Amino acid sequence: MKTFEQKWTAWVDGELTGKELAEFEAALPDKAAAEAEKRDAQKLGALLKQELGADVLSNEEFFSHQLRERLARESAAPQRPVGRSTWWTVRRLAWSGAVSLAIFVVSTLFVLRENNPGEQSQYLTQILNARVDPAVSPNATISIFDSKDDRVTVLWVEGLQSLPADYAAK
Amino acid sequence: MHKQRLIFTIVFALVMSATVSLPAAQMVWSGLVIAENVPEPAPMPPELTRIGQTLKELFGYNQFEVIGQSTKTLRTGQEDWLASSKYFGLHVDARGETPVGYLVDLKLYKEKDLLLETETKLSKRSPLVIKGPLVGSGQLLLVLMVQ
């Protein structure tokens, strides 16, 4: 059982025929107004079809269109990465490793240069100053030299007061 | 996220390179040594084995006896200590680290008399030997070395 709205739509679209058409038109309270409204609706429909004018695909074209889209998706799928994407590509890893190594080498050279200005004496003990009490040892003299073999630095003091053997006690 | 990883990589490299130069606690041995010539010399004390041959060649003695010693672990480089025998005292006052060792003030006392004082940059790789007074038929030596 169609509702009035369904019959109205069918009537406007010209799809009512025979007895059903006669009964519907007889039921209309103002047939002239309804005919005018039908014409307006048909004009509007024609205008929309003209302006928006989307080509209606046939079943065959629609199926073909769907198939082409599916083929396009399937052919594109293997190009996408399968696993989780990551920033660490092999190229970037190699570059990061090279940069890290370069920083390490530069820092190491910097530290070594700070600690090794190129003079061997930096590795030897240095006597900055030395003195003996002139009141106790007025003739004392001081000299400094290095033994290169063991890198021993020697402060050689001559002229200190000699002491008896008792002073060798532990 | 990418920047954080890059920064982590750089910081890791810097930390690794900085670790190479980190200072560690060092032990310093200081000793009062009597060197003399005897018919049957005693073996070289283990503390002096490293420089034993040099001591013999430099001073011409065949026996070296430790009459006083002290071993100090330097952590801050500001420590001071005393190595003493019955009559001598060697006061060692570390006054800070240098790039290759420690800045050290030394004072040799004979009982209460100050015989000698010196300021040195003690290198970790270079022992210091001080020729002191003659004692009997021998010689007093002061030895300071980072072990």
Side-chain angles (χ1 to χ4, degrees):
Chain A
M1 184 70 181
K2 291 181 179 175
T3 63
F4 178 80
E5 285 75 16
Q6 288 173 325
K7 288 178 181 175
W8 171 265
T9 303
W11 180 69
V12 168
D13 292 339
E15 292 176 355
L16 286 183
T17 56
K19 183 183 176 184
E20 197 176 20
L21 174 61
E23 286 176 358
F24 179 76
E25 287 181 342
L28 291 173
D30 184 351
K31 190 178 178 186
E35 289 288 354
E37 194 170 341
K38 180 181 178 180
R39 284 193 298 274
D40 290 343
Q42 286 173 341
K43 283 182 184 175
L44 180 62
L47 180 66
L48 286 174
K49 190 175 285 184
Q50 181 183 349
E51 293 299 323
L52 299 178
D55 295 335
V56 178
L57 297 176
S58 65
N59 285 345
E60 187 180 357
E61 289 172 333
F62 179 74
F63 175 73
S64 176
H65 173 72
Q66 293 285 84
L67 190 59
R68 279 198 303 272
E69 281 197 341
R70 180 175 174 181
L71 288 173
R73 280 199 304 272
E74 286 178 355
S75 62
Q79 294 175 359
R80 291 196 299 254
V82 176
R84 179 174 170 269
S85 65
T86 174
W87 186 78
W88 291 106
T89 60
V90 173
R91 186 187 180 94
R92 283 176 173 162
L93 271 174
W95 271 107
S96 299
V99 168
S100 301
L101 190 62
I103 292 172
F104 174 77
V105 169
V106 169
S107 303
T108 304
L109 288 176
F110 180 75
V111 170
L112 289 178
R113 197 178 65 174
E114 285 288 305
N115 290 339
N116 180 17
E119 297 178 11
Q120 191 181 3
S121 62
Q122 285 289 319
Y123 291 110
L124 295 173
T125 292
Q126 297 175 358
I127 309 292
L128 300 179
N129 62 63
R131 73 181 191 90
V132 295
D133 187 347
V136 177
S137 306
N139 299 319
T141 60
I142 292 173
S143 56
I144 299 165
F145 60 90
D146 302 315
S147 165
K148 300 299 181 189
D149 295 340
D150 295 332
R151 292 177 169 171
V152 174
T153 297
V154 180
L155 178 62
W156 192 278
V157 185
E158 287 285 1
L160 289 173
Q161 182 188 16
S162 296
L163 300 169
D166 294 346
Y167 279 83
K170 291 186 179 178
Chain B
M1 187 68 177
H2 300 158
K3 283 185 179 176
Q4 287 177 345
R5 288 177 180 172
L6 191 61
I7 290 170
F8 171 79
T9 305
I10 294 170
V11 169
F12 179 74
L14 289 174
V15 168
M16 287 298 291
S17 60
T19 306
V20 174
S21 64
L22 283 179
Q26 299 278 340
M27 286 176 59
V28 178
W29 184 82
S30 49
L32 298 160
V33 179
I34 291 291
E36 56 187 341
N37 283 316
V38 294
E40 294 182 6
M44 186 68 72
E47 298 86 356
L48 298 175
T49 304
R50 175 177 155 197
I51 58 171
Q53 190 58 38
T54 299
L55 290 178
K56 287 179 179 177
E57 292 172 2
L58 283 176
F59 296 98
Y61 295 101
N62 62 8
Q63 176 177 280
F64 296 84
E65 180 188 11
V66 177
I67 61 170
Q69 63 178 310
S70 177
T71 303
K72 183 74 175 180
T73 300
L74 293 188
R75 300 189 188 282
T76 66
Q78 301 284 345
E79 295 86 345
D80 73 295
W81 65 98
L82 188 68
S84 58
S85 66
K86 185 174 181 180
Y87 294 102
F88 295 105
L90 175 64
H91 180 243
V92 186
D93 183 13
R95 296 198 296 109
E97 281 190 278
T98 67
V100 294
Y102 302 97
L103 195 60
V104 175
D105 285 353
L106 297 171
K107 289 179 179 173
L108 173 64
Y109 292 92
K110 184 197 72 177
E111 297 173 301
K112 292 182 181 179
D113 296 333
L114 178 62
L115 294 183
L116 168 71
E117 63 181 322
T118 180
E119 182 183 8
T120 67
K121 277 185 179 176
L122 181 66
S123 169
K124 295 170 185 173
R125 304 180 185 183
S126 171
L128 171 65
V129 178
I130 300 174
K131 179 175 179 283
L134 291 168
V135 179
S137 60
Q139 175 83 57
L140 176 67
L141 303 177
L142 314 174
V143 180
L144 202 67
M145 65 173 78
V146 180
Q147 293 180 318

